Amino acid sequence: MQITDTAALVTGGASGLGGATAKALAANGARVFALDLAGSIAQAPQVDGVTYVEADVTEPEQVEAAVAAAAESGVPLRTVVNCAGIGPSARILSKKGRHDLALYAKVIQINLIGTFNVLTVASEAIAKTEPLEDDARGVIINTASVAAFDGQIGQAAYGASKAGVAGMTLPMARDLSRSGIRVMTIAPGIFETPMLMGMPQEVRDALGKMVPFPQRLGMPQEYAHLARTIIENVMLNGETIRLDGAIRMQPK
């Protein structure tokens, strides 16, 4: 499936994994609609071929408006890449007391339900496009994390949300197959993203050395490259791919 002369929707598209993916798809000829919150968009670089759209992935009406903008852009909407998410850390029992239930619900709401919200709205639009070879219409790529499999202390909410994303990949791929829509998930390891940028350099260096090979943090461009490969190869469907340099996270 080609990228050129198609529309693509990227959530969390103003920075990090989403920003790199939006830039890569635009460089390959797509009209990219990068969804993000207003504060993130205000700090995002201007990129040829990328239109920033203010939207909260948990708000159906905002997502519907963004999907409509992409679907009505003059080229078919073929690709969705879900990168929006948050990753707060909290222990079950700490000096402050029990894990805050509202925080747990917020993480699930954004990372899991937000992903599902975008997928359902976008798949409806993609299903209306003209089919290509093999009756293919498009692909939706979600973002999990190695935390879905290697749960660390303090990541109960984050790990649950990302395990949910990985867990729904195959059933959604099978469900949407009749519409010619593929569903794939990427589970990144430790990457250079805004979540890590606030950490001291020595901490980031130590995290990079935990990766067997290459011994460094992953780069957002490497995530974007895998996303592009998934888009172009129609046999990739219903699977979660770890992109982690063979790291297996320790308990903490």
Side-chain angles (χ1 to χ4, degrees):
M1 192 178 78
Q2 67 176 20
I3 298 171
T4 304
D5 296 327
T6 65
L9 193 74
V10 181
T11 71
S15 64
L17 303 179
T21 302
K23 182 178 180 180
L25 296 182
N28 280 269
R31 295 185 190 178
V32 181
F33 293 79
L35 277 63
D36 219 315
L37 300 177
S40 297
I41 291 175
Q43 301 177 46
Q46 293 301 308
V47 179
D48 288 342
V50 176
T51 299
Y52 293 106
V53 181
E54 183 182 344
D56 182 334
V57 296
T58 67
E59 295 292 338
E61 291 185 358
Q62 293 182 25
V63 171
E64 287 168 5
V67 169
E72 297 167 5
S73 64
V75 292
L77 174 61
R78 300 285 188 196
T79 299
V80 175
V81 185
N82 276 309
C83 295
I86 59 173
S89 178
R91 299 194 68 150
I92 305 303
L93 298 176
S94 70
K95 294 179 180 179
K96 296 180 180 179
R98 301 188 302 270
H99 192 302
D100 181 48
L101 189 59
L103 175 62
Y104 190 96
K106 181 179 179 180
V107 175
I108 298 295
Q109 182 71 19
I110 294 172
N111 294 357
L112 180 57
I113 298 176
T115 294
F116 186 74
N117 181 36
V118 173
L119 180 142
T120 55
V121 175
S123 62
E124 186 175 36
I126 296 173
K128 295 176 182 177
T129 62
E130 289 296 318
L132 304 170
E133 184 179 356
D134 294 322
D135 290 327
R137 286 190 170 89
V139 59
I140 298 172
I141 302 170
N142 298 321
T143 304
S145 166
V146 294
F149 314 104
D150 309 336
Q152 291 188 290
I153 293 171
Q155 290 190 333
Y158 184 70
S161 70
K162 294 303 186 178
V165 172
M168 66 184 181
T169 301
L170 182 58
M172 292 191 301
R174 288 172 165 173
D175 197 347
L176 291 172
S177 63
R178 62 180 180 178
S179 297
I181 300 171
R182 293 180 289 128
V183 180
M184 285 288 293
T185 294
I186 299 173
I190 308 175
F191 270 64
E192 284 274 12
T193 66
M195 289 184 186
L196 291 184
M197 294 306 289
M199 294 183 177
Q201 185 61 50
E202 59 268 23
V203 174
R204 291 159 57 196
D205 290 343
L207 288 171
K209 290 178 181 178
M210 292 170 58
V211 182
F213 186 83
Q215 285 200 327
R216 59 170 174 79
L217 299 180
M219 301 303 294
Q221 295 86 344
E222 292 169 317
Y223 175 99
H225 186 274
L226 177 55
R228 193 182 73 192
T229 300
I230 291 171
I231 294 166
E232 294 176 334
N233 190 332
V234 296
M235 281 301 290
L236 290 173
N237 191 20
E239 186 58 85
T240 297
I241 299 175
R242 292 183 65 134
L243 185 64
D244 60 12
I247 193 171
R248 296 298 181 268
M249 304 300 294
Q250 298 302 306
K252 61 180 179 178

